[in-house]
Amino acid sequence: MERTLIIAKPDAVQRGLIGEIISRLEQKGLKLVGMKMASLDEAMLRSHYAEHVDKDFYAGLEQFMKSSPVVLMAWEGFECVESVRNLVGATNPRQADPGSIRGDLAIGAGRNLIHASDSAATGQAEVASFFKEEELFSYDKSEYVHIYEDSERT
Ligand code: IDP
Ligand code: MG
């Protein structure tokens, strides 16, 4: 099953929006398979944001991401990367659709509350880089049936 990494960024922690973020993903019907709090260091951030390290905003981004602990989550579900990116909204919260997490709750691109993996391959890789195998859980979830691919065929 497809997986995605969510990081509730320092602004989500500081603003008390961790529960709101979890709630929106839970209500979509996705399955939480791993969660922990962590302080991200420079090496982790340079690796996670490798595509952005040369950009103007990177120094500020790294400083911000180190400014408080974050909450790391692994979520699972049928094509969950697509679902979660839509729930999260555009990178610039002012352009994010109303109803999305960023569209409803944030204003600045540098304080957009949440990281979400951007492809199925990235989701697998990011979950593996932030979670040990024993920190990820496999379990049945009763209402999970509605997000299986099978439901699109009936
Ligand atoms: P994403 O988080 O929507 O995938 P990316 O383009 O991958 O967006 O950028 C990664 C992160 O870098 C953003 O979530 C945001 O925190 C930060 N960022 C991107 N563009 C800007 C910018 O123009 N100013 C400040 N921070 C930015
Ligand atoms: Mg990105």
Side-chain angles (χ1 to χ4, degrees):
M1 188 61 67
E2 194 165 292
R3 285 176 171 173
T4 189
L5 177 79
I6 289 291
I7 306 176
K9 294 180 178 180
D11 49 344
V13 174
Q14 295 297 324
R15 293 176 57 196
L17 292 172
I18 301 163
E20 174 76 26
I21 289 167
I22 293 172
S23 185
R24 288 181 182 225
L25 301 178
E26 274 189 314
Q27 286 170 6
K28 180 71 169 172
L30 301 174
K31 183 179 181 181
L32 184 62
V33 296
M35 181 162 70
K36 61 184 177 181
M37 191 168 235
S39 293
L40 303 182
D41 63 22
E42 181 182 338
M44 294 161 107
L45 287 163
R46 290 185 77 84
S47 165
H48 176 66
Y49 283 127
E51 63 178 313
H52 299 305
V53 286
D54 296 326
K55 294 187 180 156
D56 290 348
F57 62 78
Y58 181 75
L61 174 62
E62 184 186 305
Q63 188 178 31
F64 164 63
M65 291 296 291
K66 292 194 292 197
S67 66
S68 87
V70 299
V71 177
L72 299 164
M73 291 173 246
W75 290 83
E76 196 175 271
F78 170 59
E79 298 192 359
C80 67
V81 166
E82 180 183 26
S83 293
V84 169
R85 290 290 292 195
N86 284 325
L87 286 175
V88 167
T91 304
N92 181 337
R94 300 187 298 286
Q95 290 159 7
D97 290 336
S100 67
I101 294 168
R102 288 168 171 169
D104 285 352
L105 302 173
I107 293 172
R111 298 290 184 275
N112 60 9
L113 295 171
I114 187 166
H115 166 81
S117 307
D118 64 7
S119 72
T122 313
Q124 290 296 331
E126 290 182 344
V127 167
S129 91
F130 283 99
F131 287 89
K132 297 178 189 146
E133 200 47 53
E134 62 267 29
E135 293 174 326
L136 296 167
F137 295 85
S138 178
Y139 61 97
D140 291 329
K141 185 166 180 286
S142 57
E143 66 274 53
Y144 193 41
V145 64
H146 86 278
I147 54 171
Y148 274 114
E149 189 175 1
D150 287 355
S151 67
E152 293 192 359
R153 298 204 190 101
T154 54

